[in-house]
Amino acid sequence: MSIDAVKERQSALAERLKSLRLGRGWTQGQAGDASGVSVSTWSKIENGLMSPTYDVLLRLAHGLGVDVAELFVPAREHMGAGRRSVERAGEGEIHETPMYRHRLLCSQLSHKRMMPFRSTIKARDLAADEGWSRHEGEEFVYVLEGAVELHTEYYRSVVLQAGDSFYIDSRMRHRLVNAGPRDAEVLWLSMASSGAPVQAAPGPWAGSAGAAGQGEERDE
């Protein structure tokens, strides 16, 4: 994706975030307090100067009381019987970070029990303490192309090839990195704990990205 395209995506997220905040009558400080991110981080995201990690997106959505997908597009359908969403090939909202390119799928449905992505795991060198994550819920990943390496807090790292998959408790420190010479593609499902909607996982976001001294990816 070009630099201009990335900036355009950041701008769309910034405008949506500001709209949601102002709709609640909040200052950036109040929104930051509700979400567990610093005022400076909120300001950078709202001004299109920073592309947040998925952990930070989770905290923003939790603080605002919305689905992660609603940070990119307004929801058009809410919880009810007989819901359906069709996503055509190449469609879906893009969220770009230094490590990943996430394509949010079926994002028009709010209050989902899981958040589906098609994600590119970029081929790049990482520092030993870079990219670590921890948050409420569970995750399932199925490798579509290439090779990835799963690092977790309590287990040895493992390399997965196309056709392999894993399921983890997201409260355990973890990161998924590229293990090959080219970008890898995965299907990534992030699920809330206890059957709650993805954006409404209980409790504070303690221990997620930005936790001091834990080696996770910081939100600033």
Side-chain angles (χ1 to χ4, degrees):
M1 179 177 290
S2 68
I3 294 177
D4 288 342
V6 171
K7 289 182 177 179
E8 183 178 345
R9 296 290 182 179
Q10 289 178 341
S11 178
L13 172 62
E15 291 178 7
R16 180 66 179 148
L17 196 63
K18 184 175 182 179
S19 175
L20 289 167
R21 175 178 64 81
L22 293 178
R24 288 156 177 74
W26 288 353
T27 64
Q28 289 184 347
Q30 289 172 317
D33 288 342
S35 303
V37 301
S38 66
V39 176
S40 62
T41 295
W42 188 288
S43 178
K44 289 175 185 175
I45 300 171
E46 195 173 286
N47 285 287
L49 302 176
M50 176 182 177
S51 183
T53 63
Y54 180 62
D55 282 12
V56 173
L57 286 177
L58 281 174
R59 283 185 276 165
L60 296 176
H62 178 76
L64 292 166
V66 300
D67 194 293
V68 169
E70 291 180 65
L71 297 177
F72 297 88
V73 291
R76 296 196 296 271
E77 298 182 44
H78 296 275
M79 184 62 70
R83 297 195 304 167
R84 191 191 81 163
S85 177
V86 174
E87 196 82 76
R88 298 294 186 184
E91 295 180 348
E93 295 298 315
I94 299 292
H95 178 60
E96 187 100 13
T97 75
M99 287 179 61
Y100 309 119
R101 181 183 303 114
H102 297 300
R103 184 181 296 274
L104 284 66
L105 304 175
C106 300
S107 57
Q108 69 270 28
L109 294 180
S110 66
H111 302 284
K112 294 185 288 296
R113 294 289 190 266
M114 60 182 164
M115 183 66 64
F117 305 86
R118 177 165 178 148
S119 300
T120 299
I121 316 300
K122 299 177 183 178
R124 60 185 293 266
D125 294 330
L126 295 177
D129 61 349
E130 186 179 0
W132 288 95
S133 175
R134 190 205 311 265
H135 52 84
E136 292 288 337
E138 300 172 334
E139 293 175 46
F140 171 80
V141 168
Y142 182 91
V143 184
L144 299 170
E145 300 176 18
V148 297
E149 186 171 5
L150 173 65
H151 295 226
T152 53
E153 186 174 4
Y154 305 125
Y155 302 88
R156 291 180 180 177
S157 62
V158 59
V159 174
L160 300 101
Q161 307 284 346
D164 295 337
S165 61
F166 69 83
Y167 193 112
I168 62 169
D169 182 337
S170 305
R171 295 172 298 179
M172 172 176 59
R173 283 184 72 227
H174 60 278
R175 69 174 184 171
L176 185 63
V177 302
N178 194 295
R182 58 186 177 84
D183 290 352
E185 294 285 330
V186 305
L187 176 64
W188 199 324
L189 301 179
S190 179
M191 293 157 278
S193 57
S194 303
V198 171
Q199 83 285 2
W205 294 105
S208 57
Q214 295 297 319
E216 287 92 344
E217 191 172 24
R218 288 176 172 77
D219 60 9
E220 292 188 79

